[in-house]
Amino acid sequence: MASTRDIKNRIKSIGSTKKITKAMEMVAAAKMRKAIEAVLRTRTYANLSWLTVLNLSGSMNSSGEALHQLLTPRKEIKKVGIILITSNRGLCGGFNAAIINKVHESIKKYHKIGEEALVEAEFVLIGKKGAAIHRHGQTVVADFPKLDLASEVNEIVPVANLIIGEYLSGKYDKVMVAYTDFINSAKQIPRVKQLLPIEIESADEYLGIVGQDVRLGVNKEFIKAKEDKHLHSGEFNYEYTFEPSPAEVLDEMLPRLIEIQLYQALLESNASEHSARMAAMHQATEAASDMVNELTLSFNKARQAAITSEIAEISAGANALAE
Amino acid sequence: MSDKFIKFEIVTPERVVLKEEITQIILPTRTGEITVLPNHIPLVSSLIPGVIHVKKRNGQEDVISISGGFLEVLRDKVVILADTAERAEELDMSRAEEAHRRASELKEKARQGEEVNFAEVNAAIERELARTKAIRRWRKIKNLE
């Protein structure tokens, strides 16, 4: 049996680990509140703007072509650009592993779909932990730093510009964004969503539209209903008039909306990250408490055993003297 | 009054500014000011900094200043995705004027070759100008001046 001193030392060290995890849990909780506020503020805008874009993607010009390059699906998909949003720091449970695995899976799926030539994938990272994708043997073309709490759309503009540029130049035939969707503070789902080209068939996944949490679900069903109405009433093909001209309006509008989508993905990821960290730290704190309890028990047993054996020795000694 | 109306919604990245059933709306688009009435043809256009004037279904009017954005008109629905937008009754005249003055000073500095982003300053001036305009229009409607 371990000596009482050893056990005492272990109790002490676990106690200080517990203090740290407790503090981290509280910090994560505070950050999470801010991140959730941010995510909820932009959700309506992001969803409405996405709906507008989807409306547009359904409309055609007189010669039956889509209105803008960003809305035209390409026949052959050779190279896919993937924007991967992860956290900067660890200690957030399976948060980063989950999104990276999800991405890896969806790449594998692509490999199968393209029967002959493999579809190539290249990564643009936001957040330090995304570098782990190297281990899956993927190419990383750019690595953008991420602030812990995003506050402005401007932060995402360089990423959006890069990716739109690469898409238009024909380097990528498809652009996906991998992020973690925030559903509530106990549930986050990693998602891979198609960003470019903007297609109506890929409309099944909106940013932050899943989930039924009352606090969060303000507009979700409403937008879902609208989408259904559009899809089923056959009115989806609106013949839009553009002022001054389709090209001019869309040139300005689509990049902006892509930015918003990316920004929303970033915010969803942030909120998810902090929730995940809070949960992980909460578990760690509880595990530490359990451990301290167990160790205290064995400490007391060891102490009692030591006392008992001491008494036995003394009385044995006294008996020997008395004889 | 006819019983036709438009479902109107104006949102910014920060919040939903106004969601209302309206009968008429006047907007500053890139090609000039337009008025949208119920049963308008579907239209997409970009908006410039300026003042939006709304007639609500209950007969009241509202004035909103925006600093640019996009407009989507469907048969019975108008959606505005604005960069920033404020209702006139939320705005403070003195603060808007003060901000406008500061922005103008910055622009003057930019002319003299100092390190300021000219485009950004210009955008700020237009935004503040739109705000002051919105307040004036609002006061006129309410007969405050």
Side-chain angles (χ1 to χ4, degrees), chain A residues 67-125:
Chain A
L67 291 164
H68 196 272
Q69 237 186 319
L70 293 176
L71 300 174
T72 324
R74 301 209 174 138
K75 283 187 191 110
E76 209 180 348
I77 310 282
K78 280 185 183 154
K79 210 168 199 181
V80 181
I82 301 178
I83 303 170
L84 176 62
I85 305 178
T86 54
S87 70
N88 278 339
R89 271 163 234 184
L91 288 180
C92 43
F95 175 77
N96 289 314
I99 185 72
I100 287 173
N101 285 341
K102 171 90 181 175
V103 166
H104 198 62
E105 261 171 45
S106 60
I107 292 175
K108 272 200 238 148
K109 212 159 59 187
Y110 266 106
H111 284 259
K112 273 183 203 155
I113 293 169
E115 281 174 7
E116 299 160 12
L118 292 179
V119 177
E120 268 185 87
E122 281 190 350
F123 282 85
V124 173
L125 305 180

Side-chain angles (χ1 to χ4, degrees), chain A residues 42 52 55 240-241 243 252, chain B residues 13-14 30 41-42 44-45 72:
Chain A
T42 49
T52 304
N55 280 348
Y240 280 106
T241 313
E243 276 177 6
E252 201 180 320
Chain B
E14 277 81 36
R30 184 128 302 180
I41 54 164
V44 175
S45 184
E72 187 195 11

Side-chain angles (χ1 to χ4, degrees), chain A residues 71-300:
Chain A
L71 300 174
T72 324
R74 301 209 174 138
K75 283 187 191 110
E76 209 180 348
I77 310 282
K78 280 185 183 154
K79 210 168 199 181
V80 181
I82 301 178
I83 303 170
L84 176 62
I85 305 178
T86 54
S87 70
N88 278 339
R89 271 163 234 184
L91 288 180
C92 43
F95 175 77
N96 289 314
I99 185 72
I100 287 173
N101 285 341
K102 171 90 181 175
V103 166
H104 198 62
E105 261 171 45
S106 60
I107 292 175
K108 272 200 238 148
K109 212 159 59 187
Y110 266 106
H111 284 259
K112 273 183 203 155
I113 293 169
E115 281 174 7
E116 299 160 12
L118 292 179
V119 177
E120 268 185 87
E122 281 190 350
F123 282 85
V124 173
L125 305 180
I126 304 176
K128 282 182 197 154
K129 291 287 171 186
I133 200 80
H134 280 302
R135 259 184 281 156
H136 291 283
Q138 304 295 344
T139 333
V140 174
V141 283
D143 190 349
F144 287 93
K146 186 179 92 166
L147 295 182
D148 272 351
L149 275 178
S151 54
E152 273 193 311
V153 185
N154 290 347
E155 284 166 23
I156 208 79
V157 171
V159 188
N161 285 346
L162 174 91
I163 212 78
I164 293 170
E166 299 281 33
Y167 179 79
L168 288 178
S169 74
K171 188 178 170 198
Y172 300 137
D173 302 304
K174 209 174 217 182
V175 176
M176 318 284 278
V177 56
Y179 67 102
T180 312
D181 207 358
F182 178 81
I183 289 162
N184 57 41
S185 49
K187 195 174 181 196
Q188 299 93 32
I189 296 183
R191 276 182 207 289
V192 178
K193 175 183 155 148
Q194 180 172 335
L195 197 63
L196 288 173
I198 300 156
E199 274 182 286
I200 228 148
E201 283 76 21
S202 59
D204 50 346
E205 283 190 4
Y206 285 91
L207 284 165
I209 287 212
V210 223
Q212 298 292 329
D213 194 308
V214 196
R215 268 181 315 139
L216 312 173
V218 211
N219 279 304
K220 287 176 185 172
E221 277 158 42
F222 158 72
I223 290 171
K224 191 79 190 154
K226 270 210 291 198
E227 183 207 3
D228 286 347
K229 199 178 126 209
H230 279 314
L231 284 173
H232 298 304
S233 63
E235 273 187 275
F236 213 73
N237 267 332
Y238 294 108
E239 300 240 329
Y240 280 106
T241 313
F242 289 90
E243 276 177 6
S245 72
E248 264 176 78
V249 175
L250 291 177
D251 270 348
E252 201 180 320
M253 189 168 179
L254 294 178
R256 172 90 186 147
L257 296 182
I258 296 295
E259 278 165 26
I260 292 289
Q261 285 297 304
L262 263 179
Y263 182 59
Q264 184 68 18
L266 180 70
L267 292 180
E268 298 273 355
S269 282
N270 273 345
S272 303
E273 178 198 335
H274 293 304
S275 319
R277 177 166 297 124
M278 194 183 82
M281 287 302 115
H282 186 72
Q283 276 170 3
T285 311
E286 273 182 2
S289 303
D290 287 352
M291 226 166 178
V292 167
N293 285 344
E294 241 167 66
L295 284 172
T296 314
L297 196 65
S298 41
F299 170 78
N300 286 339

Side-chain angles (χ1 to χ4, degrees), chain A residues 38 40-45 48-52 55-56 151 153-154 219 222 226 229-230 235 238-244 248-250 252-254 256-257 260 263, chain B residues 7 9-16 19 29-32 34 40-47 68-77 79-84 120:
Chain A
L40 293 184
R41 273 206 306 270
T42 49
R43 231 178 220 174
T44 318
Y45 186 93
L48 272 176
S49 66
W50 192 239
L51 200 71
T52 304
N55 280 348
L56 286 174
S151 54
V153 185
N154 290 347
N219 279 304
F222 158 72
K226 270 210 291 198
K229 199 178 126 209
H230 279 314
E235 273 187 275
Y238 294 108
E239 300 240 329
Y240 280 106
T241 313
F242 289 90
E243 276 177 6
E248 264 176 78
V249 175
L250 291 177
E252 201 180 320
M253 189 168 179
L254 294 178
R256 172 90 186 147
L257 296 182
I260 292 289
Y263 182 59
Chain B
K7 281 177 238 155
E9 196 164 352
I10 175 165
V11 292
T12 70
E14 277 81 36
R15 65 198 172 121
V16 179
K19 191 176 170 186
T29 72
R30 184 128 302 180
T31 45
I34 62 164
H40 196 280
I41 54 164
L43 168 79
V44 175
S45 184
S46 58
L47 301 174
F70 303 101
L71 162 76
E72 187 195 11
V73 181
L74 298 176
R75 211 151 282 284
D76 58 349
K77 197 175 85 179
V79 177
I80 294 178
L81 304 167
D83 298 339
T84 67
E120 247 171 50

Side-chain angles (χ1 to χ4, degrees), chain B residues 16-35:
Chain B
V16 179
V17 180
L18 186 67
K19 191 176 170 186
E20 192 82 50
E21 290 174 349
I22 58 165
T23 54
Q24 181 195 330
I25 178 167
I26 304 172
L27 307 140
T29 72
R30 184 128 302 180
T31 45
E33 208 158 70
I34 62 164
T35 303

